[in-house]
Amino acid sequence: MNICVYGASSNMIDKSFITAGEALGNAIAENNHTVVFGGGAAGLMGAVARGAHAESGKTVGVCPSFFNVDGALFSDCSEMIYTDTMRERKQLLEEMSDAFIVTPGGIGTFDEFFEIYTLRHLGVHRKPIAIYNTNGYYDSLVDMLNNAIDKRFMPNANMDLLFISDNPKEIINYIENYNPDDHRAVEFKFIKR
């Protein structure tokens, strides 16, 4: 199974996040899955790739060609695919992947998460989405989503489209046992005016 991992590209983050990212990469590889990621060597992207590589796992990087500068990309990728733009990169990550894991990250990771979450909500794909909530990083995001539900900006069923855990084994178990029929997106009826 190809598992897309979104995450930080920063090396300025606390080492505990790096250690957790490596553990996630280990778990993906130990269960004979492939890491599909943004191709970076730094931050959580690099940590997950290193973790998978340490367990002889397969890693596929997808990266805009303008990122191909010294030291920016994970050099031990099993395969590196270059795109012309960031939009093409995101589309290819989506198309190639059977599941998505969102690790802690910044604005780029938020963008990737909300796009893949929106597409799942709309029924464009039916793939599992897990949030790797290391050190409670995404607690405030979960609070924000619940607030949107409380204020009726989105349906309660949207939270059923996410699995949230700080345990790599639980996340892999969720993905491996995922049944899209158990996690239905809200159906929309578009009305012509």
Side-chain angles (χ1 to χ4, degrees), residues 32-90:
N32 299 311
H33 301 302
T34 298
V35 171
V36 179
F37 74 117
L44 285 170
M45 277 196 285
V48 172
R50 283 192 306 278
H53 182 72
E55 296 296 327
S56 301
K58 185 175 178 187
T59 55
V60 177
V62 180
C63 180
S65 55
F66 57 82
F67 278 178
N68 191 12
V69 295
D70 289 344
L73 301 180
F74 183 66
S75 60
D76 290 320
C77 272
S78 308
E79 180 182 1
M80 186 67 78
I81 299 169
Y82 294 99
T83 64
D84 291 327
T85 68
M86 292 291 281
R87 285 192 178 121
E88 288 175 6
R89 174 206 215 180
K90 286 197 301 181

Side-chain angles (χ1 to χ4, degrees), residues 118 121-124 186-193:
T118 299
H121 164 70
L122 294 173
V124 174
V186 174
E187 291 183 14
F188 285 93
K189 292 181 181 173
F190 295 98
I191 302 170
K192 290 184 179 180
R193 292 183 184 215

Side-chain angles (χ1 to χ4, degrees), residues 14-192:
D14 188 86
K15 183 163 175 33
S16 63
F17 290 104
I18 300 296
T19 301
E22 290 170 349
L24 178 62
N26 293 157
I28 293 170
E30 286 168 357
N31 287 278
N32 299 311
H33 301 302
T34 298
V35 171
V36 179
F37 74 117
L44 285 170
M45 277 196 285
V48 172
R50 283 192 306 278
H53 182 72
E55 296 296 327
S56 301
K58 185 175 178 187
T59 55
V60 177
V62 180
C63 180
S65 55
F66 57 82
F67 278 178
N68 191 12
V69 295
D70 289 344
L73 301 180
F74 183 66
S75 60
D76 290 320
C77 272
S78 308
E79 180 182 1
M80 186 67 78
I81 299 169
Y82 294 99
T83 64
D84 291 327
T85 68
M86 292 291 281
R87 285 192 178 121
E88 288 175 6
R89 174 206 215 180
K90 286 197 301 181
Q91 182 175 353
L92 199 51
L93 287 169
E94 176 199 339
E95 290 172 356
M96 290 179 62
S97 302
D98 303 301
F100 305 92
I101 300 174
V102 183
T103 70
I107 193 166
T109 304
F110 301 155
D111 172 52
E112 291 163 331
F113 164 66
F114 278 111
E115 180 169 338
I116 212 68
Y117 186 33
T118 299
L119 293 174
R120 177 65 185 95
H121 164 70
L122 294 173
V124 174
H125 74 82
R126 300 183 74 208
K127 303 171 187 179
I129 302 170
I131 293 178
Y132 188 34
N133 195 23
T134 306
N135 298 340
Y137 182 80
Y138 281 117
D139 288 353
S140 58
L141 173 68
V142 172
D143 289 343
M144 183 186 77
L145 294 174
N146 282 321
N147 183 55
I149 290 167
D150 291 344
K151 302 281 192 296
R152 298 182 162 191
F153 283 91
M154 65 186 226
N156 191 51
N158 277 25
M159 289 306 284
D160 295 336
L161 303 178
L162 302 174
F163 180 76
I164 303 161
S165 176
D166 64 355
N167 184 310
K169 290 180 182 177
E170 288 180 0
I171 289 174
I172 299 302
N173 184 61
Y174 169 76
I175 288 170
E176 290 179 338
N177 294 290
Y178 180 80
N179 179 351
D181 291 333
D182 294 337
H183 307 276
R184 293 190 182 274
V186 174
E187 291 183 14
F188 285 93
K189 292 181 181 173
F190 295 98
I191 302 170
K192 290 184 179 180

